[in-house]
Amino acid sequence: MNAPTSHSADAPQQSVRLTAWVRGHVQGVGFRWYTRARALAIGELRGFARNHRDGRVEVVAEGPRERCDRLLEWLRTGDTPGMVEGVTEIWDTPRGGYGDFSIR
């Protein structure tokens, strides 16, 4: 018998790309470094964190959906350096090309 075609049970393991735009006082406070450390602690995430001229930090993470969700939740909890005023996220398919999680 063939396996069911529904992928809902596989969703937590599905590989995804999360792009999060973090607003607030998030530059000059070690935010990118803490984000990298959190991504590495969560595990199985590749991508980067980088500052933008408008004061936001862009976080790109690729890996299992459940692990990307954990990183996004951390970005939103306020348990970060500085002061996060808001996070906007975009979900997409992974593009690859990242060896680990880096600071840019």
Side-chain angles (χ1 to χ4, degrees):
M1 177 170 219
N2 290 344
T5 57
S6 171
H7 297 287
S8 62
D10 296 329
Q13 295 305 319
Q14 177 187 9
S15 189
V16 297
R17 176 186 179 94
L18 164 68
T19 302
W21 297 92
V22 185
R23 301 177 310 280
H25 180 65
V26 291
Q27 291 190 13
V29 294
F31 189 89
R32 293 176 301 149
W33 296 97
Y34 277 89
T35 300
R36 179 181 184 270
R38 181 56 59 123
L40 294 174
I42 290 170
E44 297 183 53
L45 293 177
R46 290 175 166 71
F48 61 87
R50 71 174 158 201
N51 289 339
H52 281 266
R53 290 183 185 175
D54 64 5
R56 295 179 299 167
V57 171
E58 175 187 14
V59 178
V60 173
E62 293 187 354
R65 174 71 189 232
E66 180 271 333
R67 292 177 187 262
C68 287
D69 279 334
R70 286 172 53 191
L71 181 63
L72 181 60
E73 179 65 24
W74 177 78
L75 291 170
R76 288 188 163 146
T77 62
D79 185 29
T80 60
M83 188 175 74
V84 173
E85 293 175 2
V87 179
T88 302
E89 86 269 8
I90 299 170
W91 295 95
D92 204 350
T93 56
R95 298 180 192 162
Y98 307 113
D100 59 7
F101 200 94
S102 64
I103 303 300
R104 292 188 176 176

